[in-house]
Every structure is written in C-alpha cells, then in structure tokens.
Amino acid sequence: LIPLVDAPGVPVIHAADYLDERDRLLAAGHITVIGAGQSGAEIFLDLLRTRPEGRERIHWLARTEAFAPMEYSKLGLEHFTPDYTRYFHALTEPTRDRLVATQWQLHKGIAAPTLAAIHEELYHRTLHGGWPDAVLTPGVLVRTAGRLSSTQIELHLEHLQQGTRSRLTTDAVVLATGYRERPVDRILAGLDPYMRRDNSERPRVDDRFRLILDPSITGSGCHIYVQNAALHAHGVGTPDLGLAAWRSATILNTLTGKEPYPLPDRTAFTTFGLTPRQPQVPPAHQERTLTPLTDHK
C-alpha cells in the first residue's frame, strides 16, 4: 500500500472541506464516509441524494455502536446546566473519566430529523423492488488505510463486536471524524513547575475555572482562568456555548470578589446526587406583598 499522503490524486478529505471538494467527490465511482456524527450524516444524505437509484455505491462506516440520535430531550439537556457542571466537578476522577466516555450521545449523536431523512431516502429506493447500493455499518474501526494505485484506496476494517476483519476498496474517503482537542501544555509550559495535575497528567481546575497551582503562586492572589480546556474536570458542558455566559459570570464574580452578575442557585429540575439543593427563586419571580391603600380624608 502507498501511504495516503504520498499520492494526493485520490480524494481523502475532512468533512470541513466537503463543500469545496463536493464536485470532485461526486465524480468518484465509490465513496466512503467515516464518522457517525451530524456532519457524517449530512454528508452521507447529500451524497445519497445525488446518486442514481441502485448505483449509489456509498459506504458509511462508524466506530460508534449505532447511528444514534442526539439526546435532545428537555431533561437530557439538563446535563448542560451549571447544576450538572458543579455535580460533575465534585465526582472522583475515575468516575468523571468513565462518564465522559459514555455520554457521547449528548454531543456527538445525529439530529433525529436527519436520521429520518436518511431512512426515508433509502426506503423510497426500495418501492419498485430494488435495493440501494449503500452500506451503513456502525461498530467498525478503520485500522489502516493506504493507496492501491493512483485512483483507489484500501481500508483495513475491524468489526469491534464480531472481532472480524475485512478490506474495502474505495475511490474517495470523507473523514467526518471531528476535531482533535488542542493541548494547552505548550501555552502553559512556563507554569509547569507550579501546576498541579491529576492522575492522567491533565491540569487540575477548580470549580471556578482556575488552574490549581502551587500555593506560592495562588497565595499571592494570582490565578489563571481557563475556558473550554477542562472537559475532564467540568464535563460535557465544557465547550457548550449555552454555558459561556454562566462561566464568564462565574469568573468575573470571582475576580471582583463581588457579584456584579447575580447567578441562580438552581438551574435544573433534575437533582444530581442524593443531596438536594433548595431552589432559590429569583427576586423578580417572588410574590410581592401588596401594601393596602390608605384612604386619607
């Protein structure tokens, strides 16, 4: 096999470049999409709609165990609240790591309407007795990949549940595999002697989004705050933009030592843990005591 980078004539693109490379991909005889997130699903659907019935020649592969819907119920979304963030932060490190690995459907699943549209498109292609030439297989790991020639790619696959292996020859690959988190070690290299790390050598971050540093630094009142850099410490809501205002307000309140941004004590109907917290009703929602009018004569 020829390494992928040594023969750039065959399209192997990241999902981020799909629209720029779409015409080139459509000209390929066989296309493989790898990744079962929203981007992979939308790309598969778009390709499917452009291919002739019975001659679609598309594979959709994913390492996850299913082409699963995003958890988007109202109570499910309470995992993206300050209440859950505080609860998660107080858990032990092994428990936090286990939870992050199992909560992928909260942020890596596929929108239910997209899944429905894919199924509908596939179903319509069976109405006249045919069957689409489209293969959708979850639970598959791509072990290696290389170029067979200037026009084809060979993928070495392993089914994680069956323990079986096979090869797939394709003419183009779309990598809908997401993005790698950029490490902060280089940025924080100067603080390395003072930084406290967990058992996996990740920076420890307190509940106010401050790096936990040696007392020789924090004892003087100096702190370093981080945003979207502690999934291991604050859970799935770490990169969520819906929590950005709360994180920023928490940081500013801590910096000023005051409360210029009043924050609610309760943000979820779910009680995470066995110790319930009493809800604090914002003043604007409290019942007002009416003062009787006095009739002055």
Side-chain angles (χ1 to χ4, degrees):
L1 294 178
I2 304 170
L4 296 180
V5 294
D6 293 341
V10 185
V12 178
I13 68 163
H14 190 270
D17 301 316
Y18 174 72
L19 290 180
D20 293 332
E21 300 287 343
R22 183 173 181 270
D23 291 341
R24 187 178 173 208
L25 287 167
L26 293 180
H30 182 278
I31 307 172
T32 301
V33 180
I34 301 174
Q38 184 66 26
S39 296
E42 291 182 8
I43 289 171
F44 176 79
L45 177 60
D46 182 62
L47 291 172
L48 181 63
R49 285 170 169 170
T50 64
R51 313 289 273 189
E53 290 190 17
R55 292 182 286 118
E56 295 83 0
R57 302 195 67 204
I58 311 174
H59 266 68
W60 185 16
L61 307 175
R63 185 171 53 183
T64 53
E65 296 180 353
F67 297 109
M70 183 85 76
E71 170 53 70
Y72 214 71
S73 65
K74 288 182 169 57
L75 287 179
L77 289 176
E78 291 198 337
H79 287 85
F80 300 93
T81 60
D83 278 15
Y84 184 77
T85 302
R86 286 189 289 259
Y87 162 79
F88 183 92
H89 186 270
L91 296 172
T92 64
E93 181 184 331
T95 301
R96 292 199 302 259
D97 289 345
R98 179 180 59 79
L99 279 174
V100 168
T102 61
Q103 292 177 334
W104 59 271
Q105 266 185 270
L106 289 169
H107 57 110
K108 292 184 179 181
I110 303 168
T114 306
L115 287 173
I118 290 172
H119 188 274
E120 182 178 9
E121 185 69 32
L122 292 169
Y123 173 72
H124 282 169
R125 292 169 186 247
T126 69
L127 294 180
H128 302 292
W131 196 265
D133 185 10
V135 180
L136 295 72
T137 311
V140 172
L141 173 67
V142 179
R143 295 177 55 84
T144 59
R147 299 184 189 273
L148 287 175
S149 62
S150 61
T151 60
Q152 288 189 314
I153 301 162
E154 183 175 274
L155 305 175
H156 291 196
L157 311 177
E158 179 181 358
H159 196 281
L160 297 174
Q161 293 179 353
Q162 291 180 330
T164 54
R165 296 184 181 183
S166 65
R167 298 180 182 184
L168 172 65
T169 300
T170 187
D171 301 307
V173 176
V174 181
L175 300 170
T177 49
Y179 299 85
R180 179 178 297 155
E181 183 177 344
R182 181 175 296 176
V184 297
D185 290 351
R186 179 183 295 183
I187 300 173
L188 302 175
L191 289 170
D192 193 63
Y194 308 99
M195 197 178 307
R196 297 293 181 259
R197 297 181 179 273
D198 64 15
N199 293 329
S200 298
E201 292 301 313
R202 299 166 298 198
R204 294 177 60 197
V205 184
D206 71 11
D207 60 348
R208 298 182 184 182
F209 306 100
R210 301 178 298 193
L211 291 175
I212 298 179
L213 304 172
D214 188 90
S216 62
I217 302 293
T218 56
S220 62
C222 296
H223 296 280
I224 294 179
Y225 296 80
V226 295
Q227 286 238 46
N228 192 11
L231 178 67
H232 61 283
H234 293 103
V236 293
T238 297
D240 188 71
L241 293 178
L243 283 172
W246 170 72
R247 287 192 295 264
S248 298
T250 300
I251 291 171
L252 288 171
N253 287 353
T254 306
L255 275 170
T256 61
K258 301 176 182 179
E259 198 178 30
Y261 295 95
L263 297 174
D265 182 65
R266 186 77 184 266
T267 56
F269 293 110
T270 306
T271 299
F272 300 102
L274 293 179
T275 306
R277 303 183 65 186
Q278 295 300 319
Q280 178 179 318
V281 182
H285 294 167
Q286 291 178 349
E287 294 184 7
R288 296 182 179 180
T289 301
L290 299 179
T291 303
L293 294 176
T294 304
D295 185 11
H296 295 282
K297 295 182 180 180

